[in-house]
Amino acid sequence: MSNRKLSNSPAIRRMPAYLHKLLMMRNENKINVSTTELAEYMNIELSVVRKDIMLIGVAGQRRVGYDICELIRSIKNYLGWQDTISAVLIGAGALGAALLGYDDFSHYGFHLSSVFDSDPAKIGTVIRGRKVCDIKDFRKLVSENMPDIAVICVSGSAAQDVADLVVSAGVRYIWNFANVSLRVPAGVIVQREVIAGGLAMLAVKMKQDRQFIRTANHSETSNHTSHTRR
Amino acid sequence: MSNRKLSNSPAIRRMPAYLHKLLMMRNENKINVSTTELAEYMNIELSVVRKDIMLIGVAGQRRVGYDICELIRSIKNYLGWQDTISAVLIGAGALGAALLGYDDFSHYGFHLSSVFDSDPAKIGTVIRGRKVCDIKDFRKLVSENMPDIAVICVSGSAAQDVADLVVSAGVRYIWNFANVSLRVPAGVIVQREVIAGGLAMLAVKMKQDRQFIRTANHSETSNHTSHTRR
DNA sequence: TAGATTGTTAATCGATTAACAATC
DNA sequence: TAGATTGTTAATCGATTAACAATC
């Protein structure tokens, strides 16, 4: 096992996208897939796809490709998604509702069993088939069936309190959508989701692209499409 | 300018998190910040923060730290966020509503000016202060004031049609939250947001952590906390 | 002065790219 | 056979880590 911090492995982050495509293809009753097909879908180089497939340890057939079902099985296995992962959602706002409606989670073996909020106006209502429970009852309600993961979708100001609560109740893994860093005891693992990271990437691409257009207007030697598509 | 594809630069993705922290500190009327403070907040190594600060090109004062306002200015400048970026949102579902409520966007100079949907039940309603417009009127409504970015928050099955529409209307940058790959003409830049990537990361950390616990139970030479915090 | 912090450089590690070998 | 695809290896590039120099 690697000693380096496993904080942002691009290969692992690509896996759900592969999985999504493969599930779609299986739905269309396709049997095999080639790296070319996956690379085009992902908009990445052929060799990256091959390396990723080597990583999950699947062998293909030359001139035919890989078995879709085997790839699905192996990716799930690689990510530890072969068995159901139970999770609770804290925060029944718009983002929470969006996660509850994310269809692929069920394919990933990720099950958001219950929803908590502190807002009296929300408690008792039903969102996407789940009744919203009072966060005050959190300990009691999860005590018998401890979820693997707590998904925190509350405002930044409330997030630390929620984290303290779920950790004290016994949750050891947190998926944090609140835009703050959480302090947790050693042994608790937090995955922070910074949505704006994608915006930053797009902004920098935009900036470079526009600089290129400006430059290209002054020199005739290059053109625009060769830049964006290499 | 680098020739390599700028697809997933970790440094750029960290910028919004720094920015968020720095904005909070400025709000608290703090003047300076040290790399130690930022590294602790971000849960990363000191030297990563220093490299990132070198990247945006800010000089500090020894024994004092960096000027918070200057850091904010420089990060915005680095990301091209010094001027307002105009964007339209397509898809007024739960995820769209969540993005409309993301407070930090205004600090980032990112302005979601208008919202479109195809659902008659939503058209005309107001979500977080924005009236939802009919997607049929998209061309007409954006023709005078072309937005920089289109944020696509519709279902996977509708996403390609929406992309075709916004591209034909003249939009050149897309932030895609739909869980599919979009085909666009050369010159149009798409940033795809795969929320489940974070779940994959957490799942793998979970798997490793649990394997470690199992191993640790059999051998007395190591303990758990030393693993998770190194 | 001592200590804390920035600044700089080298080493290491991992991810991507490229080229080609193998084979169905 | 020819062509398409997987499989493998080496080269390159970039990000992280580590160590220490500089200096307020």
Side-chain angles (χ1 to χ4, degrees):
Chain A
M1 199 184 298
S2 156
N3 206 26
R4 182 171 276 231
K5 248 186 212 166
L6 183 74
S7 54
N8 195 17
S9 162
I12 293 173
R13 289 190 165 275
R14 280 192 291 269
M15 293 300 169
Y18 289 127
L19 200 46
H20 179 82
K21 174 70 172 170
L22 293 166
L23 290 166
M24 283 200 297
M25 293 180 79
R26 189 173 64 178
N27 240 17
E28 295 160 2
N29 292 315
K30 289 184 183 154
I31 303 296
N32 291 297
V33 64
S34 69
T35 47
T36 322
E37 224 168 337
L38 286 174
E40 260 170 30
Y41 175 76
M42 301 281 290
N43 244 306
I44 56 179
E45 298 287 329
L46 272 173
S47 33
V48 174
V49 178
R50 288 217 203 103
K51 279 285 157 74
D52 287 345
I53 291 176
M54 276 181 59
L55 196 67
I56 61 173
V58 168
Q61 267 182 284
R62 291 173 211 249
R63 278 184 52 75
V64 176
Y66 301 88
D67 184 274
I68 291 176
C69 291
E70 194 188 351
L71 274 182
I72 291 173
R73 214 170 29 242
S74 300
I75 290 178
K76 284 189 179 179
N77 205 58
Y78 180 76
L79 298 176
W81 285 356
Q82 69 281 33
D83 306 315
T84 298
I85 297 176
S86 66
V88 293
L89 174 69
I90 297 115
L95 183 55
L99 291 177
L100 287 176
Y102 191 71
D103 287 335
D104 276 7
F105 280 159
S106 61
H107 297 291
Y108 299 164
F110 183 75
H111 182 60
L112 275 171
S113 56
S114 47
V115 185
F116 293 87
D117 205 297
S118 63
D119 181 357
K122 281 179 189 151
I123 294 167
T125 62
V126 174
I127 298 182
R128 299 205 183 240
R130 280 88 156 187
K131 201 168 142 194
V132 180
C133 306
D134 192 335
I135 185 73
K136 286 191 188 121
D137 301 330
F138 184 80
R139 284 169 166 286
K140 196 167 55 192
L141 289 174
V142 301
S143 58
E144 309 155 14
N145 238 324
M146 188 59 60
D148 298 306
I149 296 176
V151 183
I152 298 185
C153 281
V154 301
S155 69
S157 51
Q160 184 62 54
D161 287 344
V162 168
D164 292 343
L165 172 65
V166 300
V167 167
S168 76
V171 173
R172 298 207 40 242
Y173 306 97
I174 294 175
W175 196 12
N176 175 29
F177 283 84
N179 195 10
V180 290
S181 168
L182 297 176
R183 276 165 286 107
V184 293
V188 174
I189 293 174
V190 179
Q191 175 69 30
R192 186 176 170 191
E193 209 64 37
V194 183
I195 301 277
L199 182 59
M201 286 302 308
L202 181 56
V204 172
K205 286 178 190 169
M206 229 170 108
K207 195 178 154 191
Q208 289 194 352
D209 186 48
R210 288 178 166 178
Q211 277 169 1
F212 186 86
I213 293 175
R214 265 200 296 284
T215 326
N217 286 346
H218 291 273
S219 76
E220 302 286 301
T221 50
S222 52
N223 69 62
H224 182 241
T225 50
S226 75
H227 170 68
T228 52
R229 306 291 296 181
R230 283 221 301 171
Chain B
M1 196 185 301
S2 155
N3 206 23
R4 184 172 275 231
K5 247 187 214 166
L6 182 75
S7 56
N8 196 18
S9 160
I12 294 173
R13 289 191 164 273
R14 280 191 292 267
M15 293 299 170
Y18 290 126
L19 199 47
H20 180 82
K21 174 70 172 168
L22 293 166
L23 290 167
M24 283 200 297
M25 294 180 78
R26 189 173 66 177
N27 240 17
E28 294 160 3
N29 293 315
K30 290 184 182 153
I31 304 296
N32 292 297
V33 63
S34 68
T35 46
T36 323
E37 224 168 336
L38 285 174
E40 259 170 30
Y41 174 76
M42 301 281 290
N43 245 307
I44 56 180
E45 297 288 328
L46 273 174
S47 34
V48 175
V49 179
R50 290 219 203 101
K51 281 282 158 78
D52 288 345
I53 291 176
M54 278 180 59
L55 196 68
I56 61 173
V58 168
Q61 268 182 284
R62 291 172 210 252
R63 280 184 52 74
V64 176
Y66 302 87
D67 184 275
I68 291 176
C69 291
E70 195 189 350
L71 275 183
I72 290 174
R73 215 170 27 242
S74 301
I75 291 178
K76 283 189 180 179
N77 205 60
Y78 181 77
L79 298 176
W81 285 356
Q82 69 281 31
D83 306 315
T84 299
I85 297 175
S86 66
V88 293
L89 174 70
I90 297 115
L95 184 55
L99 291 177
L100 287 175
Y102 191 69
D103 288 335
D104 276 7
F105 281 159
S106 60
H107 297 292
Y108 300 163
F110 183 74
H111 182 59
L112 274 171
S113 55
S114 47
V115 185
F116 292 87
D117 206 297
S118 64
D119 181 357
K122 281 179 189 150
I123 294 167
T125 62
V126 174
I127 298 181
R128 300 208 183 237
R130 279 90 155 185
K131 199 168 144 195
V132 180
C133 305
D134 192 334
I135 185 73
K136 286 191 188 120
D137 302 330
F138 185 80
R139 282 169 166 285
K140 195 167 56 192
L141 290 174
V142 301
S143 59
E144 308 155 16
N145 239 323
M146 189 57 61
D148 297 307
I149 296 175
V151 183
I152 298 184
C153 281
V154 301
S155 69
S157 51
Q160 184 63 53
D161 286 344
V162 168
D164 293 343
L165 172 65
V166 301
V167 166
S168 74
V171 173
R172 298 206 40 243
Y173 306 98
I174 294 175
W175 196 12
N176 175 29
F177 283 84
N179 195 12
V180 289
S181 168
L182 298 177
R183 276 165 286 108
V184 294
V188 174
I189 293 175
V190 179
Q191 175 70 29
R192 185 176 170 190
E193 208 63 39
V194 184
I195 300 276
L199 182 60
M201 286 302 308
L202 181 56
V204 171
K205 287 177 189 168
M206 226 169 110
K207 195 178 155 191
Q208 288 195 352
D209 186 49
R210 288 179 165 176
Q211 276 169 1
F212 186 85
I213 294 174
R214 263 201 297 284
T215 327
N217 286 346
H218 291 272
S219 75
E220 303 286 302
T221 49
S222 52
N223 68 62
H224 182 240
T225 51
S226 74
H227 170 68
T228 52
R229 307 290 296 181
R230 280 222 300 173

